């Protein structure tokens, strides 16, 4: 189980790095709308345009992003990262 979690986290990190590289490429081109979601991928709430402009490539609403960061922080503390 731990190996599966480690592999999943490694895959997630790779995908995140790819997504950041892609977003940065588009950010240079000034095409933020292509990668910023209009609705949160977690809860389907509308993501305000100000947030979509501010957070290039945003996929989560502020509430879901905060929850995800809170969970990640707890995981890091639990695992001693
Ligand atoms: Zn959300």
């Amino acid at each position: 189980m731990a190996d599966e979690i480690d592999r999943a986290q490694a895959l997630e990190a790779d995908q995140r790095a790819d997504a950041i590289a892609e977003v940065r490429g588009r950010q240079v081109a000034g095409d933020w709308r292509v990668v910023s979601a209009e609705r949160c991928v977690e809860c389907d709430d509308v993501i305000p345009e100000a947030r979509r402009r501010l957070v290039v490539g945003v996929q989560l609403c502020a509430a879901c992003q905060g929850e995800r960061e809170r969970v990640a922080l707890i995981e890091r503390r639990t695992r001693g990262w």
Side-chain angles (χ1 to χ4, degrees):
M1 185 65 177
D3 285 348
E4 290 175 354
I5 292 170
D6 288 343
R7 285 199 309 267
Q9 287 177 332
L11 178 62
E12 190 178 35
D14 286 349
Q15 290 172 335
R16 187 178 318 117
D18 288 348
I20 289 169
E22 184 179 335
V23 166
R24 285 185 174 155
R26 289 182 181 170
Q27 188 176 12
V28 169
D31 195 7
W32 62 272
R33 289 170 212 273
V34 174
V35 290
S36 292
E38 292 187 9
R39 290 186 165 272
C40 176
V41 297
E42 289 275 332
C43 69
D44 203 38
D45 275 1
V46 172
I47 300 173
E49 183 170 342
R51 177 168 169 76
R52 289 189 285 127
R53 284 183 181 275
L54 193 65
V55 186
V56 175
V58 68
Q59 300 294 308
L60 298 170
C61 70
C64 289
Q65 182 70 45
E67 176 65 13
R68 187 173 281 192
E69 289 172 5
R70 191 184 66 80
V71 168
L73 183 63
I74 290 169
E75 283 179 3
R76 278 199 301 273
R77 286 182 179 163
T78 303
R79 296 177 135 232
W81 292 355

